[in-house]
Amino acid sequence: MPKILAQCKKIECDRGANLRKTLLENGIDLHNGKSKLINCRGIGSCGTCAVQIEGEVSPVNWRDKTRRSLPPHSPTKDLRLACQTRVLGDVRVTKFEGFWGHGSQIVWKPKAENGENGENGEK
Ligand code: FES
């Protein structure tokens, strides 16, 4: 089973699981601030579920590519829409600041083996 590392959690999921759904079901704060309330619920139109992913996931689909080509996102930034992403292997997920998760400061990242707590990258 693939493992997702996000915030302070290690989550096991089925291969092909939807990343947004899996993170939310496991209590991960995927959406920043008011985007917790105001988001498209996973249809790929709002862009607020953007995260950085390391690991094996599905190829970028047209919804993800289209939404991230529009401001404040940038098609050149290394982000994906969690709602349009399927988990295919072990992944590490990092969330950035901003309503759309498009900022440069890390809000949370995976807990590291060296004791980092997964929040803001601080020990
Ligand atoms: S939840 Fe709206 S684009 Fe993913």
Side-chain angles (χ1 to χ4, degrees), residues 5 48 55 73 79 92 96 98-99:
L5 296 177
T48 62
H73 284 300
L79 296 177
R92 297 169 54 86
F96 290 89
F99 185 84

Side-chain angles (χ1 to χ4, degrees), residues 61 69 117:
N61 68 17
S69 70
N117 70 10

Side-chain angles (χ1 to χ4, degrees), residues 27-72:
I28 301 295
D29 296 325
L30 175 61
H31 294 279
N32 294 337
K34 289 193 168 46
S35 78
K36 288 179 178 65
L37 303 172
I38 306 167
N39 67 72
C40 71
R41 311 291 180 217
I43 63 172
S45 61
C46 71
T48 62
C49 65
V51 289
Q52 187 177 60
I53 303 168
E54 300 168 59
E56 188 184 0
V57 294
S58 57
V60 177
N61 68 17
W62 68 269
R63 288 177 196 250
D64 190 331
K65 188 174 180 180
T66 301
R67 181 58 192 92
R68 288 185 305 101
S69 70
L70 302 170

